[in-house]
């Protein structure tokens, strides 16, 4: 039986059409990626990052003739010296506990140093009066701190075990009488003065270059990403905080895994993802079916060799890690841009964003 539409009904249909069109378009257009600010930039605790930035800001008052001091320079030094006070508590005041103490420099060769350094601080900073130890997140000798230490948190004390004081002291020391650290050769000279080793200079400058790409230290993940790549990234980011489960994760979401990882950890009682389970789920949201292992996933799509560097990656690409060949690939994540990826890293962790690992980078694959 045919049903006739009255004018009023027809008018409602016509008026509703634009609304329906908007709803259809909205349904097809995925939501913008979460504007997620990374609190830890390339592994830097937020409090340490603040200390580096504060020191760079205050330096002109200490060494007016110095040019080119930036927070990545201080971060590069602290990365090598203490991994940004890794494993320590950093109070709001900047005080670091427990104290970071180097080996006793008594000529024994421990820590690679064969020179004896006599005590200069009676154990005030390094806890011993029988010799010298490097101290704090920037590993100052007490004698060097005596002339370069600064009070950057305005508590009336110059303390090498305080993040703010130590960062400003390091900035002063690197600047000397007024270097131009924007000049690469002068920057390398300053770092060499800090530790007279060409290998050390190379390590520090590589970290400075990496941190320099991060601007003010804040990364907005997902900006400028469109289409299916945005859908994949959104899907993965929404799983942040989901537990790692060996063998866990399907195209439908987190699932219980099985026993056992190479380290002997079972996922049988954990609902979550392993690395390839997360990528399988994220790509399923755009209708792409992936094989179950990271090594097999590397055989899909357009391969991006490691030799091209991470600069060849685009947000949404799979990024791999292995031991030198595709057959040895053991880990996969999803590239977010700005040197960051999201992944289910290992047993005992949760799905997280982090910098692309330095070790074992095996390139990527483009599926979109």
């Amino acid at each position: 039986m045919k049903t006739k539409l009255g004018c009023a009904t027809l008018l409602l249909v016509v008026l509703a059409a634009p609304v329906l069109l908007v709803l259809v378009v909205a349904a097809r257009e995925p939501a913008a990626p979460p504007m997620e600010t990374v609190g830890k930039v390339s592994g830097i605790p937020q409090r340490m990052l603040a200390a580096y930035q504060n020191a760079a800001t205050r330096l002109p008052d200490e060494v007016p003739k110095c040019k080119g001091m930036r927070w990545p320079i201080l971060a590069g030094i602290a990365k090598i010296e203490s991994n940004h006070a890794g494993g320590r508590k950093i109070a709001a005041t900047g005080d670091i506990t427990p104290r970071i103490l180097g080996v006793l420099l008594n000529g024994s060769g421990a820590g690679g140093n064969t020179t004896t350094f006599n005590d200069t601080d009676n154990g005030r900073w390094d806890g011993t009066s029988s010799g010298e130890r490097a101290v704090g997140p920037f590993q100052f000798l007490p004698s060097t701190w005596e002339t370069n230490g600064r009070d950057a948190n305005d508590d009336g004390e110059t303390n090498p075990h305080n993040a703010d004081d130590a960062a400003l002291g390091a900035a002063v020391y690197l600047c000397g009488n007024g270097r131009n650290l924007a000049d690469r050769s002068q920057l390398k000279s300053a770092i060499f003065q800090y530790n007279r080793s060409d290998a050390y200079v190379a390590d520090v400058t590589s970290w400075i270059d990496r941190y320099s790409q991060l601007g003010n230290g804040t990364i907005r993940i997902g900006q400028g990403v469109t289409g299916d790549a945005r859908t994949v990234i959104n899907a993965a980011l929404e799983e942040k905080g989901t537990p790692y489960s060996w063998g866990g994760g399907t195209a439908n979401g987190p699932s219980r895994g099985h026993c056992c990882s190479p380290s002997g950890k079972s996922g049988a009682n954990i609902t979550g993802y392993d690395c390839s389970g997360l990528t399988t789920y994220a790509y399923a949201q755009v209708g792409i079916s992936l094989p179950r292992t990271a090594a097999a996933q590397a055989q899909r799509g357009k391969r991006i060799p490691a030799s091209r560097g991470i600069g060849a990656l685009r947000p949404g690409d799979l990024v791999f890690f292995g031991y030198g060949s595709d057959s040895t690939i053991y880990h996969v994540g999803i590239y977010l841009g700005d040197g960051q990826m999201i992944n289910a890293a290992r047993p005992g962790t949760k799905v997280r964003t982090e910098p692309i690992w330095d070790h074992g980078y095996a390139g990527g694959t483009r599926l979109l």
Side-chain angles (χ1 to χ4, degrees):
M1 181 179 68
K2 294 182 180 180
T3 303
K4 294 183 179 180
L5 295 176
C7 294
T9 305
L10 182 59
L11 179 61
L12 287 174
V13 171
V14 172
L15 291 175
V19 177
L20 292 173
L21 179 61
V22 171
L23 290 176
V24 169
V25 171
R28 291 178 178 174
E29 179 66 17
M35 295 300 290
E36 176 178 323
T37 300
V38 177
K40 294 182 178 180
V41 179
S42 291
I44 303 175
Q46 190 66 37
R47 185 61 184 83
M48 292 300 293
L49 177 61
Y52 308 151
Q53 293 173 325
N54 177 64
T57 299
R58 294 187 60 151
L59 182 69
D61 293 333
E62 303 292 339
V63 190
K65 294 182 179 180
C66 187
K67 298 179 180 178
M69 174 56 70
R70 301 173 292 115
W71 75 261
I73 296 173
L74 299 171
I77 296 285
K79 169 64 181 179
I80 302 301
E81 295 294 345
S82 68
N83 194 24
H84 309 298
R88 265 60 173 187
K89 292 182 179 179
I90 311 167
T93 60
D95 290 338
I96 297 169
T97 55
R99 290 183 167 189
I100 302 172
L101 301 173
V103 299
L104 185 64
L105 300 175
N106 58 4
S108 67
N113 191 288
T114 57
T115 303
T116 299
F117 288 82
N118 296 322
D119 177 66
T120 62
D121 69 332
N122 198 32
R124 180 186 181 189
W125 300 122
D126 61 8
T128 179
S129 59
S130 62
E132 293 277 81
R133 300 177 189 269
V135 299
F138 284 86
Q139 289 292 277
F140 276 100
L141 287 178
S143 57
T144 306
W145 181 253
E146 183 66 26
T147 55
N148 292 277
R150 296 293 189 275
D151 176 16
N153 65 346
D154 300 318
D155 65 353
E157 182 180 44
T158 56
N159 180 0
H161 298 286
N162 176 275
D164 297 315
D165 292 0
L168 185 55
V172 169
Y173 185 64
L174 289 166
C175 276
N177 293 324
R179 289 189 176 96
N180 179 6
L181 299 178
D183 180 276
R184 191 76 170 185
S185 63
Q186 292 190 50
L187 174 62
K188 289 183 175 180
S189 295
I191 298 169
F192 188 80
Q193 172 189 295
Y194 205 97
N195 186 324
R196 297 180 181 279
S197 161
D198 290 333
Y200 178 86
V201 173
D203 283 345
V204 170
T205 53
S206 70
W207 281 103
I208 292 173
D209 291 342
R210 181 166 184 167
Y211 294 141
S212 294
Q213 298 175 11
L214 305 179
N216 66 359
T218 299
I219 301 173
R220 296 282 192 177
I221 291 176
Q223 285 183 306
V225 183
T226 60
D228 286 348
R230 184 161 69 183
T231 302
V232 168
I233 288 175
N234 266 355
L237 286 174
E238 287 172 359
E239 298 304 308
K240 273 195 65 180
T242 303
Y244 182 99
S245 175
W246 176 259
T250 70
N252 297 318
S255 67
R256 287 196 176 188
H258 53 75
C259 191
C260 281
S261 73
S263 62
K265 303 295 184 181
S266 175
N269 296 316
I270 302 173
T271 299
Y273 296 97
D274 64 10
C275 65
S276 53
L278 176 66
T279 54
T280 294
Y281 167 71
Y283 270 86
Q285 307 316 299
V286 294
I288 295 177
S289 177
L290 292 178
R292 192 57 185 81
T293 67
Q297 290 181 4
Q299 303 307 310
R300 295 292 182 89
K302 180 182 178 182
R303 195 72 168 91
I304 304 167
S307 60
R308 292 181 60 190
I310 65 173
L313 297 175
R314 296 177 186 170
D317 289 345
L318 293 178
V319 56
F320 300 101
F321 302 86
Y323 299 108
S325 65
D326 282 5
S327 63
T328 65
I329 285 175
Y330 61 85
H331 187 70
V332 60
I334 299 172
Y335 187 58
L336 299 173
D338 293 306
Q340 303 281 312
M341 66 177 177
I342 183 166
N343 69 137
R346 61 183 63 88
T349 66
K350 297 179 180 180
V351 175
R352 65 192 188 191
T353 58
E354 62 181 324
I356 288 181
W357 298 347
D358 292 320
H359 57 280
Y361 175 62
T365 285
R366 184 162 300 144
L367 296 161
L368 304 172

